[in-house]
Amino acid sequence: MSKKVGEVIVDALAAAGVQRVYGVAGDSLNGITDSIRRHKNMNWVHVRHEEVAAFAAGADAALTGGLAVCAGSCGPGNLHLINGLYDCHRNRVPVLAIAAHIPSSEIGSNYFQETHPEILFKECSHYCELISSPAQVPRVVEIAIQTALAKRGVAVIVISGDVALHEAVHEQLRITSYRHTEPSIRPGDDLLHELADLLNNSRKVTILGGAGCAGAHDELVATAAKLKSPIVHAMRGKEYIEYDNPYDVGMTGLLGFSSGYYAMKECDTLLMLGTDFPYQQFYPEKAKIVQVDNRPEQIGRRSRVDLGVTGNIKETLAALLPLLTEKSDAAHLEHAQANYRDARKGLDDLATGTPGSGLIHPQFLARELDLAAADDTIFTVDVGTPVIWAARYLHMNGKRRILGSFNHGSMANALPQAIGAAASNPGRQVVTLSGDGGFAMLMGDLLTLRQLNLPVKIVIFDNSSLGFVELEMKATGFLDHGVELKNPDFAKVAEGAGILGVRCESPEEVRPALEKVLAHNGPALLDVRVNRQELAMPPSLQLNQIVDFNLYMVKAILNGRGDEVLDLAKSNLFR
């Protein structure tokens, strides 16, 4: 019996190791979903929103390292994928999206739900092609798979529902095994010697590492040991750099520590390794800057660069280490380490809870979660203030993972990414650090957890506000407006969905509630009423920020909102 086009597509995905397809069913997808139903090694993961499907696929790909797939029906269905696919693409994870299309004979007639997905998805993909004839399959599908895997990003195939139901012209797959490993790239000997000479002749070297340091932990620590260099990490490098690392002095940037900021500002040479850290104001003005990256197009796009080197971090450092002269002067390192100890103590002092006070500081919740979670927990983190608390209070150990929308910066990512994490890692603890705004935005997929019985633990930092936006307004002298959230009791919402729901309103309730939720056999939600008036200061305050914040306080008092200023002082000065 001959195969349909949809069957050949699913066979090609299975040959690439795909086991799950995340999506929302629709009539234009019937040829695909029915083929998945009948395939012995493929599962349809039914979510409630296509944006969730794309985020979930991205988390699946990030954790497994293999290809993940999401799908949406024609028109609005596949348009909902776009935001999540942007996140996947910017996170550089291999995801293939199936964008179903209107009937092929109606294309160009302004038919019901007609869009042009082959145009719409171009900017968030490396490959996006319309399959208009069965003769194109499986070749286009295999090119899409190869592109997503090789370029570590998104590929999209657009196919009309009727085309997926046609008889296949080519049933035999051209590629039956996909094996993609990161190629080894290291600079030539002349450039390595130039790099070594520059570093050997520098007195105060600071290393800034990012996600490109994955798999290079030992080489990174050995390099810092020879150069007596403090290591500052970007958010996406946290899970690869922070653990078992006596040279780590925290993060820099808006979410970071003062110690990371000053370690970069006070160096005479900054060695950037596998990072695309975007905030130019945090780079040193006078130091020499060296950037090593396996993507040469990234070199110099964030700051001026005195020496650019193309290479994988692991291979480049392994070749560089024998050329480095071990430094005897550790003053720069020791000063940075002392700053880090002071900064760490200051942050830990903020992460306290006074029984009976009724005031739960978000720092305290984050620290307690860090202590209660398993050694191999997968954390997914919403943008906004949850990212701040995750950056400062979650400790990585080489087994834990942390996922977020760290490049795209999309709200509502934590729950969808947790779905993909739990589906692809059964038996492993998956915990979200969700903002109340982010959680509410895609709250419908709480029902997905119940339907699929995915044991995700949702921890909501419930401050009844778009907290980070509110902080940004105050820091720039604006009265906060349009950020207040009238939230329900999210624990009761969870109970209504058939999920364990727990609510905390006092510090002494936090640890028992966390232990109950984390031990629960199934999905669970913890709604914690945290302090709204919490300040999360950047590692360095500029004069204009101080002036603007004072302007906010004056405006608040003049507009009859002096009680907010008083609450702000009580929450942050008198603790």
Side-chain angles (χ1 to χ4, degrees), residues 55 83 87 90-91 383-384 404-413:
F55 272 118
N83 188 54
D87 188 77
R90 300 183 78 172
N91 278 340
V383 299
S405 187
F406 300 136
N407 283 339
H408 189 48
S410 173
M411 283 182 66
N413 62 284

Side-chain angles (χ1 to χ4, degrees), residues 240-261:
Y240 308 116
I241 294 171
E242 183 181 74
Y243 70 96
D244 294 339
N245 184 354
Y247 306 97
D248 182 68
V249 295
M251 282 180 57
T252 188
L254 297 171
L255 313 180
F257 301 177
S258 59
S259 53
Y261 173 81

Side-chain angles (χ1 to χ4, degrees), residues 158-425:
V158 182
I159 183 168
S160 293
D162 59 296
V163 175
L165 292 170
H166 286 170
E167 297 291 327
V169 174
H170 306 293
E171 296 183 15
Q172 190 66 37
L173 299 179
R174 299 163 67 252
I175 303 173
T176 57
S177 178
Y178 294 82
R179 296 185 182 183
H180 281 274
T181 57
E182 192 74 18
S184 295
I185 304 172
R186 51 148 286 187
D189 290 342
D190 289 348
L191 191 54
L192 274 173
H193 279 88
E194 184 179 351
L195 173 57
D197 289 343
L198 191 155
L199 295 172
N200 287 333
N201 291 317
S202 300
R203 191 165 61 89
K204 297 187 294 185
V205 179
T206 293
I207 296 171
L208 171 63
C213 293
H217 183 272
D218 292 347
E219 290 80 5
L220 179 65
V221 172
T223 301
K226 270 200 166 183
L227 295 174
K228 301 297 184 288
S229 297
I231 302 175
V232 180
H233 63 260
M235 185 65 200
R236 290 186 67 227
K238 177 180 173 71
E239 60 183 323
Y240 308 116
I241 294 171
E242 183 181 74
Y243 70 96
D244 294 339
N245 184 354
Y247 306 97
D248 182 68
V249 295
M251 282 180 57
T252 188
L254 297 171
L255 313 180
F257 301 177
S258 59
S259 53
Y261 173 81
Y262 287 115
M264 286 177 58
K265 287 291 185 178
E266 294 172 356
C267 71
D268 59 28
T269 298
L270 178 67
L271 176 58
M272 297 172 60
L273 299 175
T275 180
D276 194 32
F277 178 72
Y279 302 106
Q280 297 181 44
Q281 65 268 35
F282 289 92
Y283 285 95
E285 292 88 5
K286 298 179 181 179
K288 291 182 179 179
I289 298 179
V290 180
Q291 186 173 1
V292 183
D293 204 292
N294 64 353
R295 292 177 174 84
E297 70 273 13
Q298 294 194 164
I299 294 175
R301 72 177 181 180
R302 303 303 183 193
S303 68
R304 60 174 179 79
V305 169
D306 296 277
L307 180 62
V309 178
T310 301
N312 299 117
I313 304 306
K314 183 180 179 68
E315 286 82 358
T316 300
L317 292 184
L320 177 67
L321 274 165
L323 307 177
L324 295 177
T325 302
E326 184 161 357
K327 296 186 184 299
S328 57
D329 183 359
H332 174 56
L333 171 63
E334 291 168 356
H335 181 60
Q337 289 172 324
N339 282 343
Y340 179 56
R341 287 192 295 270
D342 290 343
R344 183 74 262 170
K345 182 180 184 304
L347 292 173
D348 290 341
D349 287 345
L350 294 173
T352 56
T354 304
S357 68
L359 185 65
I360 303 175
H361 295 291
Q363 300 96 319
F364 173 68
L365 172 59
R367 191 196 68 177
E368 291 295 295
L369 176 57
D370 176 62
L371 294 172
D375 285 345
D376 65 345
T377 296
I378 300 167
F379 296 100
T380 64
V381 185
D382 267 336
V383 299
T385 52
V387 175
I388 300 176
W389 314 133
R392 297 179 181 179
Y393 294 100
L394 293 184
H395 288 86
M396 298 295 105
N397 57 10
K399 294 182 287 184
R400 287 178 167 180
R401 297 296 309 272
I402 184 167
L403 304 178
S405 187
F406 300 136
N407 283 339
H408 189 48
S410 173
M411 283 182 66
N413 62 284
L415 171 57
Q417 288 177 329
I419 289 171
S424 59
N425 289 266

